[in-house]
Amino acid sequence: EPILRVEHLKKVYPDGTEALREVDFTVHPGEFVAVIGPSGSGKSTLLRCVNRLVEPTQGAVIFKGENITRAGGRRVRRLRREIGMVFQSHNLIPRVSVLQNVLHGRLGYKDSLRGALGMFSAQEKEDALRILERMGLLEQAHKRADELSGGQQQRVGIARALAQKPILILADEPIANLDPATSESIMDHLHTICRADGITCLVNLHQVAMAKKYATRIIGIHRGTKVFDGPPSKLDDRI
Ligand code: ADP
Ligand code: ADP
């Protein structure tokens, strides 16, 4: 059974911008899919429709067989525990520790009181430290998030998403502002952990070389329309 199906997806923003015109695709468990396309082509809107940060205008998003296109409230919160999100600007809490940032990823976004009081169990802390270790950040666990380099912060962003134990990770331009070596290290970590843990991943990239190197499949988007869908080896110069 597919983990995700996107059918005839369309998004028109209130100002009339047609961000997605008609996008269809299916993702199976374990795939590592890169969504590529120039800036403004609709990649971010696409991921945001999947985790319901954006409501599609038309079409459907089916997650594990459940139509979540118009899901709200509790269903969205449940969904966001199963779907981990990694942002371009990692959105860390700057003045708290790396460990606390990762622990907060396990909370619902509305369950922050427990977090504010630092009420995490020993097991939760141990799990978080193990994830940080896998991301190569154990030594940074007790540093403030804003003391870390940009690349390290992005790895914390990924660790935070992993702390939820998601089955799907959506990463929106996770390496947009980083130098090539740092970008490669981040893609390596993301790719390795997704493979090891069987996590399906959809990652927006504008670097075609990175998509070719890591993805099992590439979806090309241009002006809100899917223009390519296949293995990296079949990608030609159209996009
Ligand atoms: P990408 O991620 O490929 O850069 P986006 O999904 O961010 O593309 O944007 C697709 C189009 O939708 C662009 O023209 C962008 O300006 C527009 N857009 C994105 N977000 C909004 C918004 N909240 N309101 C209006 N237009 C938007
Ligand atoms: P609300 O929109 O009702 O405030 P939340 O409290 O769940 O919903 O989310 C607050 C903000 O945090 C959202 O606008 C969004 O930017 C971000 N957010 C929450 N959950 C997620 C998630 N799983 N993935 C990405 N962003 C999220």
Side-chain angles (χ1 to χ4, degrees):
E1 197 200 343
I3 194 164
L4 178 68
R5 269 191 5 243
V6 167
E7 296 174 346
H8 314 298
L9 200 67
K10 207 174 197 183
K11 176 62 187 179
V12 184
Y13 283 108
D15 67 357
T17 305
E18 287 187 71
L20 297 173
R21 287 161 203 265
E22 172 90 23
V23 175
D24 293 88
F25 61 86
T26 300
V27 178
H28 292 280
E31 284 195 280
F32 195 93
V33 181
V35 180
I36 65 171
S39 181
S41 56
K43 305 182 296 297
S44 177
T45 302
L46 178 61
L47 290 201
R48 282 162 188 269
C49 285
V50 174
N51 88 337
R52 294 293 292 103
L53 288 170
V54 164
E55 183 162 353
T57 308
Q58 263 177 48
V61 177
I62 318 285
F63 177 65
K64 290 197 307 179
E66 180 186 350
N67 189 331
I68 58 158
T69 320
R70 314 262 167 242
R74 279 167 88 164
R75 278 172 83 210
V76 170
R77 286 195 287 281
R78 175 166 54 77
L79 194 70
R80 286 176 181 167
R81 273 193 283 275
E82 293 188 281
I83 303 180
M85 189 87 187
V86 177
F87 298 94
Q88 174 175 343
S89 55
H90 26 77
N91 295 359
L92 302 182
I93 310 166
R95 288 187 303 275
V96 311
S97 76
V98 164
L99 178 61
Q100 285 288 331
N101 267 280
V102 172
L103 285 164
H104 277 270
R106 288 193 56 156
L107 300 176
Y109 285 75
K110 295 228 158 75
D111 182 20
S112 50
L113 182 61
R114 204 161 66 90
L117 297 172
M119 291 166 65
F120 295 101
S121 70
Q123 185 64 53
E124 284 174 315
K125 286 182 189 165
E126 197 182 309
D127 288 349
L129 286 169
R130 186 161 307 132
I131 292 163
L132 284 169
E133 185 174 21
R134 294 176 76 191
M135 293 303 293
L137 288 166
L138 198 51
E139 285 176 18
Q140 279 74 34
H142 299 288
K143 290 191 179 153
R144 269 171 49 158
D146 53 8
E147 289 173 25
L148 271 54
S149 70
Q152 288 173 328
Q153 289 191 22
Q154 188 55 282
R155 278 188 277 147
V156 178
I158 294 171
R160 183 183 51 188
L162 289 166
Q164 301 170 215
K165 302 187 165 61
I167 60 168
L168 174 66
I169 283 191
L170 305 174
D172 194 1
E173 302 266 5
I175 53 171
N177 301 315
L178 303 168
D179 63 77
T182 306
S183 298
E184 194 132 329
S185 151
I186 283 165
M187 289 302 293
D188 258 336
H189 278 91
L190 183 61
H191 182 252
T192 303
I193 290 184
C194 285
R195 264 190 90 148
D197 293 6
I199 300 170
T200 309
C201 186
L202 218 64
V203 52
N204 284 350
L205 294 169
H206 63 253
Q207 305 90 330
V208 180
M210 286 290 177
K212 281 187 161 172
K213 179 160 182 190
Y214 293 99
T216 54
R217 173 175 159 205
I218 292 177
I219 293 176
I221 305 278
H222 189 67
R223 293 178 167 220
T225 306
K226 189 175 85 172
V227 294
F228 178 84
D229 190 347
S233 59
K234 292 265 157 59
L235 189 69
D236 60 22
D237 299 330
R238 281 176 301 160
I239 39 180

